[in-house]
Amino acid sequence: MTDSKAISRETLESMLKAINMGVLLVDQDCKVLFSNHFMTINSGRSAEELVGRTLFEAFPELPEVWTRQKINSVATLQNFAFTSWQQRPHLFNFESTRPISGLVRHMYQNCTFFPVQDADGSSLGVGLAITDTTDTAARQLELTHLNKLLEEEKSAQALLIARLEDAQAQLLQSEKMAAIGQLAAGVAHEINNPIGFVCSNVNTLRRYLVDIFALLEAHEQASDETHANAHPELAIMRDKMDYKFMRQDIDDLLVESADGLDRVTRIVRDLREFSHVDSYEWQLADLHKGLDSTLNVIWNEIKFKAQVIKCYGDIELIECMGSQINQVFMNLLINASHAVGSDGEITVRSGREDGGVFVEIADNGHGIPPEIQNRIFEPFFTTKPVGMGSGLGLSLSYSIILKHHGRLTVESEPGRGSRFRAWLPLRQPQQQALSTSATEGC
């Protein structure tokens, strides 16, 4: 007849082998009395290796003091003790064979300590039930990882959107300036035609008047006293119209008219020079001419506020897009005029430096506070009142100088004024490389 107690033991061991959790039985000295199949698979240690050894010989990673206290308290008090992986992670350091999101993971366990008694109530030891909670922990880790990735992506998208908005704003500003340049060039062309024939007519009129005055003088010299007595009305008419003053004033009016026409002609020429509608490609340009034409175009903005002092150095022609560089000059000069008072000074310097040329525009205005100097080139940043500035002038100028492989810097002291310096290379690197290649090919 088969022993029922033996059958129960075999059945129990079979059940413990089949369940998906680790089961250990230890005595009060922490020696392993029993280990199931789960522990063999996940710990890499067979039951034969575990039984008869202490937990700490088999699992060196276990905190010995804490574990002994836990086992002694359960054996003494005969109650359950539960320890979660959140409280003490990696109690048993099992490596997981289920990687998550390509990252190396370890198994997390819930460990329950429980008393084990024989049928007669005597203590057999303390059992440890190790439940695999890797999936739950892994999901939490994966969600944390995904949330972090989403936050990073969100930040990257926000930065990209901000850069796109900046680029769009600068593009709109560039298009607006290009449109103004086209308009200025068109107006200059339309004005140039009538100015041409008016100048020609005034010069012709001056020659005619010279001939008429010569004829009148000859007539006066040929007239004798008898002729004057015979025609007294001529003398009366001459005195009434103040012939001498009128003759002198006609000369003065013609000189002033010619001077005014010359000024209009210079303005038209400066408008065309400033707009550079025929130079959208890289060309050699004279920065001094660009500065002069820009000053003439915006002179009405400056003349009542500041005195402009020119200190031009000996510089070479540089390879650039003239209309864009003139736009930089315009932005810097207008900003300088806004910064100075009614008796301000704006100094424009140029010279050679580091194999290139520089243009410096300085003012004696209110200056820029140190805390915002590193922000003045940001798009939309402005210290002007609402509606007085778009905050794109310096940002666009900075982009244009960078496009020309140059640099734009500022030095400023509150109450002492500001100095902006634009440095530009003599030739653009790409264009220089092309020229060198062509020379070598020859």
Side-chain angles (χ1 to χ4, degrees):
M1 184 174 180
T2 307
D3 186 15
S4 59
K5 187 174 182 179
I7 295 175
S8 299
R9 183 181 181 86
E10 292 174 359
T11 303
L12 177 61
E13 289 184 357
S14 178
M15 291 174 59
L16 292 175
K17 180 178 180 181
I19 64 175
N20 190 28
M21 70 167 58
V23 178
L24 290 173
L25 178 62
V26 299
D27 60 16
Q28 278 194 301
D29 293 329
C30 297
K31 283 188 177 181
V32 179
L33 304 175
F34 173 80
S35 173
N36 74 338
H37 189 60
F38 179 95
M39 295 299 294
T40 298
I41 293 175
N42 290 281
S43 71
R45 301 165 179 88
S46 65
E48 289 76 11
E49 293 179 85
L50 295 177
V51 174
R53 304 176 67 189
T54 66
L55 278 174
F56 315 111
E57 292 173 340
F59 302 100
E61 70 273 10
L62 286 177
E64 183 172 349
V65 175
W66 182 88
T67 307
R68 284 188 182 276
Q69 289 177 350
K70 182 73 70 173
I71 291 174
N72 288 335
S73 65
V74 172
T76 303
L77 300 175
Q78 295 292 300
N79 61 0
F80 282 74
F82 174 77
T83 301
S84 67
W85 68 269
Q86 292 95 334
Q87 295 168 337
R88 185 173 290 280
H90 310 300
L91 193 58
F92 290 89
N93 193 11
F94 300 158
E95 288 194 4
S96 175
T97 57
R98 288 166 286 181
I100 300 153
S101 300
L103 302 176
V104 176
R105 299 296 187 209
H106 287 83
M107 278 180 54
Y108 295 95
Q109 313 91 23
N110 283 334
C111 187
T112 305
F113 296 77
F114 57 92
V116 179
Q117 296 177 341
D118 204 349
D120 58 5
S122 60
S123 176
L124 292 177
V126 176
L128 282 71
I130 301 97
T131 306
D132 182 6
T133 60
T134 304
D135 290 341
T136 302
R139 282 195 295 270
Q140 292 177 345
L141 285 174
E142 188 170 17
L143 285 174
T144 302
H145 182 65
L146 290 175
N147 284 335
K148 183 179 179 181
L149 291 178
L150 286 174
E151 288 296 328
E152 292 176 354
E153 185 177 356
K154 182 179 178 181
S155 300
Q157 287 180 347
L159 180 62
L160 179 60
I161 290 172
R163 288 179 177 175
L164 287 174
E165 288 177 349
D166 295 347
Q168 183 182 22
Q170 291 185 1
L171 180 61
L172 290 174
Q173 184 77 355
S174 297
E175 290 178 349
K176 182 175 73 172
M177 292 304 299
I180 292 174
Q182 292 280 1
L183 178 62
V187 171
H189 178 73
E190 293 299 322
I191 292 177
N192 202 42
N193 290 331
I195 286 296
F197 65 73
V198 170
C199 286
S200 176
N201 291 347
V202 168
N203 290 330
T204 302
L205 180 61
R206 291 181 69 178
R207 291 196 300 270
Y208 288 168
L209 288 174
V210 168
D211 293 341
I212 290 174
F213 289 145
L215 178 63
L216 290 175
E217 287 178 0
H219 178 72
E220 288 180 356
Q221 292 174 1
S223 298
D224 54 13
E225 186 176 351
T226 303
H227 182 271
N229 293 331
H231 301 281
E233 71 276 7
L234 293 177
I236 296 173
M237 184 180 297
R238 179 173 179 171
D239 294 338
K240 184 177 180 180
M241 67 177 58
D242 197 354
Y243 171 75
K244 290 183 178 181
F245 170 78
M246 183 175 63
R247 178 176 176 176
Q248 180 62 41
D249 197 40
I250 287 175
D251 287 337
D252 293 341
L253 289 176
L254 287 174
V255 170
E256 289 180 2
S257 298
D259 181 63
L261 288 171
D262 287 340
R263 290 176 61 185
V264 174
T265 301
R266 287 198 302 271
I267 291 172
V268 170
R269 184 181 65 247
D270 290 333
L271 276 174
R272 297 188 65 180
E273 178 71 23
F274 174 79
S275 61
H276 275 281
V277 293
D278 54 348
S279 61
Y280 285 112
E281 297 180 354
W282 298 99
Q283 292 185 353
L284 294 179
D286 185 343
L287 295 186
H288 290 164
K289 286 185 178 180
L291 283 166
D292 291 338
S293 64
T294 303
L295 280 168
N296 287 335
V297 168
I298 63 172
W299 185 242
N300 192 60
E301 184 80 19
I302 300 177
K303 63 182 179 181
F304 299 113
K305 297 180 181 180
Q307 176 187 5
V308 177
I309 302 173
K310 298 180 182 179
C311 300
Y312 290 171
D314 182 18
I315 62 175
E316 303 177 40
L317 300 180
I318 72 165
E319 189 174 27
C320 65
M321 290 187 178
S323 60
Q324 294 189 4
I325 298 300
N326 288 346
Q327 186 177 343
V328 173
F329 295 157
M330 182 187 71
N331 291 333
L332 296 180
L333 287 167
I334 289 179
N335 283 351
S337 70
H338 291 170
V340 299
S342 57
D343 297 323
E345 285 186 359
I346 298 175
T347 304
V348 183
R349 292 186 177 89
S350 64
R352 303 184 184 188
E353 184 181 72
D354 298 338
V357 300
F358 73 87
V359 173
E360 187 177 272
I361 297 175
D363 65 74
N364 63 345
H366 49 68
I368 304 171
E371 60 270 16
I372 65 171
Q373 287 186 20
N374 61 341
R375 298 192 59 198
I376 59 174
F377 296 120
E378 294 180 7
F380 308 112
F381 180 80
T382 179
T383 58
K384 298 177 183 177
V386 177
M388 295 297 293
S390 64
L392 289 173
L394 286 178
S395 172
L396 187 59
S397 299
Y398 189 80
S399 298
I400 290 173
I401 296 299
L402 284 184
K403 178 181 177 181
H404 284 72
H405 301 91
R407 54 182 180 266
L408 179 61
T409 57
V410 60
E411 295 180 9
S412 183
E413 184 178 347
R416 301 289 298 273
S418 303
R419 181 168 64 249
F420 286 84
R421 171 176 283 220
W423 179 90
L424 293 164
L426 295 179
R427 300 293 181 269
Q428 294 302 308
Q430 294 180 350
Q431 306 297 325
Q432 194 173 36
L434 290 175
S435 301
T436 303
S437 300
T439 304
E440 291 176 353
C442 295

